[in-house]
Amino acid sequence: MQKKVFQLLVDNTSGVLSRISGLFSRRGYNIESITAGVTADPRFTRITIVTSGDDVILEQIEKQVAKLVDVRDIKELTSTSSVYRELVLIKVKVSSDQRQAVISVADVFRANIIDVAPDSLIIELTGNQSKVEAFITLLNGYEILELARTGITGLSRGSDNVAYFDD
Amino acid sequence: MIGADAIVKCLEAEGVEVVFGYPGVAICPFYNSILDSDIRTILIRTEQNAAHAASGMARMTGRPGVCAVTSGPGATNVITGIATAFADSIPLICITGQVNSELLGSDVFQEADITGAVESFVKYSYLVKNVNDIPRIFKEAFHIANTGRKGPVLIDVPIDIQNAALNRFSYPEEVSLRTYKPTVKGHAVQIKKVIHELERAERPIICVGGGVLLAQAEQELREFVEKHQIPVVSTMMGIGAMPSGHPLYFGMVGNNGRAYANRAMNESDLLIMVGARVADRAVSQPGLITRNKILVHIDVDPAEIGKNAGPSIPLVGDARHIIHEFIQEEFTCDHGEWLDTLKEYRNTMGTVRNPNPAYVDPAALIGLLSEKMQENAIYVADVGQNQIWSCTYHIVKEGKFFTTGGMGTMGYSIPAAMGAKLAAPERQVVAVCGDGSFQMSMMELATMRQHEIPVKIIVLKNNYLGMVREYQHYTYKDHYSVVDLSGSPDLKMIAAAYGMRFQRLENMEHASEAVDEFLSGDESVLMECIIDPYDLVK
């Protein structure tokens, strides 16, 4: 089993996300995370899927997704030639004497405090997955009330290999 | 002009001659508009068969078959037919009426989320939300259905859209699909590699699948294999790509195929699969076919290549284009010894049957039929033991052989035969089914009568769901469960009820005369053939 990040450029039609997620569920492929958003050209949506499987499965995933009529392009975002980011929001329970310590940890990670309540903080952190994991580990000593992750999105580096909207 | 008129105009622009369907309120605007057209409408008796009939027509014409049904239960009933076409890669356009678009999602009467429900069985689907999109959507739908790997496309049209006024009707000359561009031409380097392997191979064989028929590559295939004397076997869906009696044809492979065909494929050192999926029924252990041989896999669908077996040489493209490229290549290969070996296998490894003389022997009956049918006749096999006997014993000459190998949907033969007959009225069309599958489509005898579609039907009657009974014989030691068909109707009375000629054959004594009579005249006949209830296909 290995993990792969695929980036898709798809037609921004109604139901396109359900067509893609439906393909994964009916063929038994894993989705670890999926993010979608409209691109600079509103006719298209960019989707980033993190999936896992053996080589045969991963090859099939790429081919089956490519076959969908709405899919313009699919490519693998490899860790060496791409950048990945994930955004996470963490609500931590803090007493007034714990607050400063949590803020210090957040500062080290260049995270932002985006909400302060009498007994809690909401921290926003953006980074690659290992940074996010490391940060969550450091908060182990505190009570995490709620946590929301976007799943990763990414882009390949450089201007080669860009799927243009129109040929 | 309203949306419904526009749909009819689109069908006319695509050269559609027949629409199979069943109306309901939600599709009534369309059926009202089509009255003003020359397109023929066929009222099928249940929606599933509208898709099967359209499939039979598509396989005959090479263009998408069209069916149109109403919303809710009409649409859900057609799903099995769509799934069958999807599994067999048959191009269909399925139009479904839908409730008023403003009421979508509110569970009103006869509302079903059909685009959601068929998602895994269609190549693509549309829900029309703007009447002005109709020409573009239909143009795209016909293009998607009949290019690349063919398949069904569903278009769901709410009733208010069918009734809405169109600004201006103009049918697009070309499609502009940003995201859909199937590969047709084979890669030149890969083609050279295949030729190189053919030059070196001592025991080459080509295994053809339904993709060869869908690409209409039969002539090219024949020319190529005759030029280089390459033996051919086929999958179930590939039957008819080569005439069955051709000296280079060595039968159907697979768990229900010929022993000599499987042996030929196993002993080859170069296996070229064309338009076949390497699916479980044809190749039970796909891991093995790459072990001692070079596997070349040619398919228009890149996702099929490597799905079940990793080929040495993958080659994506249309079978007809690629075989045409092969013909252009000049090379020599010599494997006369291999052909002699295969001929010996064919002569010595035939199936030995010991038919019970008290009954009709299906093998002998199908043999007689093959001999006496017109050269270009269309033979449609249903699903069950009848299908395996048909695949094994029917000799395709210049005609066609249709069956559902992918989905294996019982009841396919009669509606598909109707579709084929409508597409080729001058040809003889015979449907062969069992007494189980016949009763799944028996209601279509009314359609045949109403619309004067003279299909000839053979029912191999054994009072059992024979294929399942055979499975229970082997797997559960004759512990039969839910396979007894007692209660089936008297077919003579059924034939009379529908105004059909009827024949009954109880053994082989007068079979030859009976088959002559059965095939005589261009009229529908129902011939009941009593076969041994304990007969086996293996």
Side-chain angles (χ1 to χ4, degrees), chain B residues 9 85 100 163 225 245 390:
Chain B
K9 286 259 174 272
N100 194 306
N163 283 323
V225 299
S390 291

Side-chain angles (χ1 to χ4, degrees), chain B residues 455-474:
Chain B
V455 168
K456 296 176 184 292
I457 301 170
I458 287 183
V459 179
L460 301 177
K461 185 175 162 119
N462 56 8
N463 230 26
Y464 269 122
L465 296 175
M467 199 67 170
V468 182
R469 189 204 65 79
E470 180 167 338
Y471 181 74
Q472 291 175 350
H473 162 71
Y474 286 120

Side-chain angles (χ1 to χ4, degrees), chain A residues 3-20:
Chain A
K3 200 186 268 193
K4 263 193 188 179
V5 181
F6 286 113
Q7 185 179 79
L8 283 64
L9 189 62
V10 303
D11 248 6
N12 188 8
T13 53
S14 66
V16 65
L17 196 58
S18 102
R19 281 181 169 134
I20 288 162

Side-chain angles (χ1 to χ4, degrees), chain A residues 27 37 65:
Chain A
R27 290 193 181 268
V65 170

